[in-house]
Amino acid sequence: MCVLCGESILRIHWTDRKQPPESAFASRTRQRERLRRIRLLNQMLGYYGLKVDDWNGVKFVVRDKKGRSEIVHDLGDLWEKAEKLAGRPLNPLDSGLLDYLNRGRRE
Amino acid sequence: MKRAVTIVTGYLGSGKTTLLTHLLKEEPGGRTAVLVNEFGEVGLDHHLLRRIDEHTRLLSGGCLCCSVREDLIRELKDLLDRSQRGELPDLERVVIETSGLADPAPILFTVMTDPVLQHHYRIEHVLATVDAVNAGLHLDRHPETKKQITAADKLVVTKTDMVTDEAREELVRELARLNPTAPIVFSDNGRTDWDLLFSQEVPIASGALAADRERPVPGPESAHSREAAHSLSVTFDRPIDWNAFGMWLSLLLHSCGENVMRVKGLLDVGERGPVLLNGVQHIIHPPEHLPAWPKQVEPRSHVVFIMKSIDPEQLMQSLEAFQHMMDAKARLTALNIIRHA
């Protein structure tokens, strides 16, 4: 159960399960990983005119340039809602996205 | 501790029930429950045998692999209930024998995503039986066979006494092309080694890794067909950033998961042991941290993709564009065109 929104969290997305549950890693490590994930997501989502921010350390908010936003729980949830805001499918094989990332790497 | 779920799949008449009959003879009593879809000609004699009627609920907007097997939820919850009430105190494993036409992916999806089952059961193995006599025919005519083989963690070749050594070798080569991640076990008239089948020590077939090094990568002309199915081995030169790889793979599965029939590998994420990655279509097992690298495996990230309708070249270009995020450069080490696409 999410303490902020009361939503039942029935599933943990596989990308959030790298650390074993009994791991003694402090929440600081998790927070650092989370911020890195946001930075990486924004490098990619910029191509679609979208931006992701942290929401109280438990969720993410994805926004478009018109100010519309969606709260997302994990990456499984993100892609669907990002597509809705972008108005087109997201695909890591899309040549336009790959050109955008390659340009960003060179700059 | 979670109870293990083993799925035994394979085309009609490929020897699933014969294999189970022999396996259950070796099994110490009371620890394994068996769920079967159909009572075949070979009668299974086991006191924890239950029949299930396949009933699948397709989730709205979901693809076929992400559908829920309600019959399994009911039976697995009932077994759990009986186990917790003390009626089956020693229950350690549930073996599910699928029907010959079933796609095993919804079973994985059901066990891994049901709010109750995911906390009490874990998928241990997917075993696929392959009939050495009729495998070619099944692969040519029945797409289910290919799905079952690519979803498997281990392949059990049956009826080997009825084919020549050459035919057997040819089948082994074909199976290694279809699913390079799965070790191949031979069954002699249903008899096979329980320990060999249920061993966990080889997360990726060492044979496949060795073969990768020996097998030349085909020229670009054979890699161009978008329609063909391929198995593709990729290694990474340095430890990989988990966040970036997870982002890339989850987006790939979101956009073309139905065409990614299998992804399996060991990832070097800069820690002592690797992370075992194992997925069938959209469904990824919870990544597992291994305490150390298996002895027979080179300690670097190695991922096998089995895909259809995705150009391998395009996949490599995508990995290249994402490489600065992943902190590691990908290299194609083996590419097989799958004949039975």
Side-chain angles (χ1 to χ4, degrees):
Chain A
M1 179 77 75
C2 171
V3 291
L4 293 167
C5 63
E7 185 193 340
S8 290
I9 309 299
L10 299 178
R11 254 200 280 177
I12 301 174
H13 193 256
W14 63 269
T15 53
D16 293 322
R17 297 181 84 143
K18 184 174 72 87
Q19 300 299 347
E22 70 276 16
S23 164
F25 279 87
S27 61
R28 202 187 300 168
T29 311
R30 203 172 304 123
Q31 193 57 21
R32 201 164 47 227
E33 292 275 310
R34 195 175 168 79
L35 294 175
R36 172 158 173 79
R37 174 174 290 180
I38 290 171
R39 203 165 61 242
L40 293 168
L41 284 169
N42 283 331
Q43 282 181 41
M44 194 200 84
L45 289 174
Y47 174 69
Y48 300 98
L50 302 174
K51 188 171 184 298
V52 169
D53 288 307
D54 179 45
W55 193 67
N56 291 305
V58 288
K59 299 212 178 219
F60 303 99
V61 183
V62 56
R63 295 188 170 88
D64 68 4
K65 287 180 176 169
K66 294 177 190 162
R68 294 183 303 169
S69 66
E70 292 273 356
I71 292 175
V72 296
H73 180 64
D74 54 31
L75 289 189
D77 196 17
L78 171 67
W79 306 127
E80 210 177 310
K81 288 181 176 162
E83 281 182 345
K84 199 171 118 192
L85 290 176
R88 57 180 164 145
L90 272 62
N91 186 341
L93 307 177
D94 174 355
S95 56
L97 170 67
L98 303 188
D99 286 345
Y100 174 83
L101 292 175
N102 286 330
R103 272 201 310 278
R105 192 169 46 159
R106 283 193 291 269
E107 280 164 10
Chain B
M1 190 159 146
K2 292 184 184 179
R3 290 148 187 86
V5 173
T6 293
I7 299 163
V8 179
T9 186
Y11 197 67
L12 300 165
S14 62
K16 298 183 291 295
T17 311
T18 312
L19 178 76
L20 262 179
T21 309
H22 284 277
L23 285 178
L24 293 173
K25 272 186 197 158
E26 293 181 29
E27 185 264 335
R31 295 192 182 164
T32 303
V34 185
L35 303 179
V36 296
N37 259 113
E38 56 214 348
F39 288 122
E41 287 171 18
V42 188
L44 262 178
D45 180 19
H46 191 261
H47 69 291
L48 281 179
L49 180 70
R50 309 272 285 263
R51 185 173 176 276
I52 45 175
D53 288 313
E54 195 169 316
H55 182 234
T56 304
R57 176 164 49 94
L58 190 63
L59 299 182
S60 59
C63 66
L64 276 177
C65 72
C66 305
S67 49
V68 174
R69 285 280 302 268
E70 290 184 328
D71 51 323
L72 277 180
I73 294 179
R74 204 166 43 241
E75 288 299 332
L76 288 172
K77 280 185 182 169
D78 184 57
L79 284 171
L80 183 66
D81 187 39
R82 289 177 60 195
S83 167
Q84 290 181 337
R85 274 191 281 133
E87 289 175 28
L88 303 170
D90 300 321
L91 184 69
E92 287 176 1
R93 173 179 285 121
V94 179
V95 176
I96 301 170
E97 183 193 339
T98 71
S99 77
L101 301 172
D103 178 357
I107 301 179
L108 301 177
F109 182 76
T110 301
V111 176
M112 287 197 274
T113 60
D114 180 82
V116 175
L117 298 185
Q118 63 174 313
H119 298 295
H120 296 278
Y121 292 98
R122 64 184 168 83
I123 300 286
E124 185 186 41
H125 285 298
V126 179
L127 306 176
T129 53
V130 184
D131 170 352
V133 179
N134 297 309
L137 195 70
H138 291 167
L139 282 164
D140 277 335
R141 297 197 181 161
H142 308 290
E144 299 87 358
T145 305
K146 198 174 70 209
K147 272 192 172 181
Q148 292 163 349
I149 291 171
T150 53
D153 296 310
K154 284 190 184 162
L155 297 169
V156 185
V157 180
T158 61
K159 306 183 188 175
T160 47
D161 52 327
M162 295 162 74
V163 293
T164 61
D165 287 351
E166 291 76 34
R168 195 176 86 152
E169 291 308 309
E170 177 52 37
L171 176 62
V172 167
R173 279 195 292 274
E174 180 64 8
L175 294 177
R177 277 193 289 270
L178 269 168
N179 186 348
T181 71
I184 297 169
V185 177
F186 296 101
S187 158
D188 176 14
N189 209 6
R191 279 183 292 275
T192 188
D193 189 335
W194 172 279
D195 293 335
L196 203 61
L197 272 188
F198 293 98
S199 63
Q200 293 275 16
E201 80 282 9
V202 186
I204 290 191
S206 53
L209 292 181
D212 285 351
R213 285 191 286 274
E214 290 156 15
R215 200 183 296 146
V217 176
E221 67 285 355
S222 56
H224 264 301
S225 165
R226 276 169 188 268
E227 296 312 314
H230 304 87
S231 73
L232 192 74
S233 292
V234 177
T235 55
F236 292 86
D237 62 344
R238 271 174 293 188
I240 201 164
D241 181 284
W242 171 259
N243 270 315
F245 184 78
M247 175 176 85
W248 176 81
L249 182 62
S250 69
L251 181 56
L252 180 76
L253 296 177
H254 169 80
S255 57
C256 359
E258 280 166 74
N259 293 328
V260 181
M261 297 153 76
R262 191 73 199 264
V263 51
K264 190 167 183 181
L266 290 174
L267 293 179
D268 176 4
V269 291
E271 293 169 11
R272 214 170 117 200
V275 171
L276 170 61
L277 183 78
N278 189 3
V280 175
Q281 292 176 264
H282 290 117
I283 310 153
I284 299 278
H285 290 248
E288 193 183 333
H289 266 262
L290 303 184
W293 284 86
K295 278 187 188 132
Q296 67 275 38
V297 176
E298 204 179 329
R300 61 175 171 159
S301 301
H302 182 118
V303 185
V304 174
F305 297 89
I306 307 175
M307 314 180 301
K308 58 179 180 183
S309 311
I310 297 177
D311 185 347
E313 224 171 280
Q314 218 181 349
L315 188 95
M316 293 311 294
Q317 282 167 5
S318 177
L319 280 169
E320 196 184 329
F322 277 82
Q323 74 179 28
H324 70 290
M325 295 190 198
M326 294 187 193
D327 291 335
K329 190 171 165 49
R331 191 168 72 89
L332 182 66
T333 52
L335 173 64
N336 287 303
I337 311 274
I338 296 171
R339 194 155 51 86
H340 299 282

